[in-house]
Amino acid sequence: MGFPANGSLASERPLKFLIYGRTGWIGGLLGKLCEAEGIDYAYGSGRLEDRPSLEADLAAVKPSHVFNAAGVTGRPNVDWCESHKVETIRTNVVGTLTLADICRDKGLILINYATGCIFEYDKEHPLGSGIGFKEEDSPNFVGSFYSKTKAMVEDLLKNYENVCTLRVRMPISSDLSNPRNFITKITRYEKVVNIPNSMTILDELLPISIEMAKRNLTGIWNFTNPGVVSHNEILEMYRDYINPNFTWKNFTLEEQAQVIIAPRSNNELDASKLNQEFPELMSIKESLIEYVFKPNQKTAKA
């Protein structure tokens, strides 16, 4: 096939990244990171489900690695997918598989930004136990159509030895004005649940994903900071660092179910595989303070 052995350092071939998801949050951040690191890159113009357009992109760009940050999450949220099932399948399943298949044909590694919202706490992984789902665990959450398509495509992608699947969860960045940012979302909600979850601090983890490409890592990775943090713990940090007058109200999962169409995933992912490869990785609470709250600090908190 031509792609390097898993974990081998990139060859002498100069890095050139082909990125899908230009208009998306992660795709946009990837371009900025490439510029900052001096990495040559281009955005794909083809649609994922249109194989000839992807082949044209690969022929024109001649990349060393391909990144897929495109996909349907729904606007304003995943409830959209419940009433747009064919569109969701077309991009999240057909499109992602098409891109993986073409990359395999061309001997290219595909870094695929996937989701960890395919699990929920269960009796083997109880809430508060510190026992997280591992990379090899089978998804147990299909409460939303979005999660169902993501679990389906992850299972199929296991057969593609050229794919690096990154399970992102509840992504957070230092850009608190971005409506996709988990912190921005929950500060704007009328009421929030309060459940510990694994989450992904993009400011810390997206540069790591670029390093993973350089190391030619493949397979499934829980792409979250180690540990969990609850909604209330984040909002307490927001109050302490950003807005001392901020207040919020909680409600139960049962009450939340009355105002959403599809259930939401709550889980802890075991990040020890990623942490072993990148020992400098911060815990979720440390990373929140270092990468998000300190840079945005508006209060006099020491």
Side-chain angles (χ1 to χ4, degrees):
M1 284 295 104
F3 30 81
N6 189 18
S8 69
L9 289 172
S11 65
E12 295 304 306
R13 184 181 180 187
L15 291 175
K16 183 163 190 185
F17 294 166
L18 174 59
I19 302 168
Y20 287 91
R22 177 180 206 148
T23 59
W25 183 21
I26 288 177
L29 290 173
L30 278 174
K32 289 177 183 169
L33 281 171
C34 287
E35 284 170 20
E37 288 193 33
I39 297 170
D40 194 10
Y41 75 99
Y43 283 109
S45 55
R47 296 198 66 78
L48 291 191
E49 66 275 14
D50 180 5
R51 191 179 184 101
S53 71
L54 301 185
E55 289 172 336
D57 283 344
L58 287 172
V61 175
K62 298 181 175 57
S64 63
H65 299 78
V66 180
F67 289 72
N68 180 31
V72 169
T73 53
R75 292 287 190 275
N77 55 47
V78 295
D79 285 341
W80 181 92
C81 300
E82 302 298 315
S83 55
H84 297 79
K85 291 184 176 177
V86 171
E87 296 96 319
T88 305
I89 292 168
R90 189 177 292 138
T91 302
N92 289 359
V93 183
V94 179
T96 304
L97 288 172
T98 301
L99 183 58
D101 195 58
I102 291 172
C103 288
R104 186 178 183 276
D105 278 353
K106 303 291 184 189
L108 294 169
I109 283 176
L110 171 65
I111 308 290
N112 185 49
Y113 296 92
T115 184
C117 292
I118 51 177
F119 296 98
E120 62 181 343
Y121 290 116
D122 61 14
K123 62 181 188 296
E124 284 82 32
H125 309 83
L127 191 153
S129 68
I131 302 168
F133 290 91
K134 291 184 159 58
E135 279 78 3
E136 57 272 20
D137 288 333
S138 296
N140 69 345
F141 177 76
V142 288
S144 70
F145 191 74
Y146 166 80
S147 291
K148 191 182 288 187
T149 63
K150 289 293 195 171
M152 197 183 301
V153 80
E154 181 185 281
D155 187 51
L156 292 168
L157 285 175
K158 284 179 192 170
N159 301 292
Y160 284 82
E161 67 274 38
N162 62 313
V163 175
C164 180
T165 292
L166 303 179
R167 289 174 175 164
V168 175
R169 282 214 78 232
M170 297 177 163
I172 290 169
S173 85
S174 54
D175 178 7
L176 295 179
S177 65
N178 191 307
R180 310 297 289 169
N181 191 334
F182 180 73
I183 297 176
T184 312
K185 286 181 181 180
I186 63 173
T187 57
R188 293 176 180 177
Y189 288 161
E190 196 177 322
K191 291 181 179 176
V192 293
V193 293
N194 182 37
I195 303 170
N197 271 284
S198 286
M199 301 188 192
T200 302
I201 307 298
L202 296 176
D203 302 68
E204 182 175 16
L205 282 162
L206 282 188
I208 283 176
S209 68
I210 288 176
E211 180 58 32
M212 292 174 84
K214 292 177 182 176
R215 296 182 192 183
N216 291 315
L217 296 170
T218 55
I220 296 172
W221 296 78
N222 287 338
F223 201 60
T224 58
N225 291 84
V228 290
V229 66
S230 71
H231 298 64
N232 281 8
E233 286 172 320
I234 289 177
L235 293 174
E236 283 162 10
M237 290 181 197
Y238 185 86
R239 180 192 62 203
D240 293 347
Y241 282 90
I242 311 291
N243 179 3
N245 299 315
F246 184 77
T247 59
W248 66 94
K249 292 175 185 169
N250 289 125
F251 63 166
T252 65
L253 278 174
E254 292 71 29
E255 290 169 321
Q256 183 195 45
Q258 303 302 309
V259 296
I260 57 176
I261 295 168
R264 302 296 196 258
S265 156
N266 293 288
N267 69 56
E268 176 171 356
L269 298 182
D270 183 333
S272 54
K273 178 181 173 182
L274 188 68
N275 208 171
Q276 198 169 347
E277 184 73 28
F278 297 95
E280 68 276 16
L281 188 60
M282 288 186 175
S283 74
I284 184 62
K285 290 174 188 172
E286 290 173 326
S287 193
L288 271 166
I289 291 168
E290 186 67 27
Y291 286 94
V292 181
F293 287 114
K294 279 189 177 172
N296 284 292
Q297 186 168 344
K298 292 195 173 107
T299 66
K301 182 181 173 73

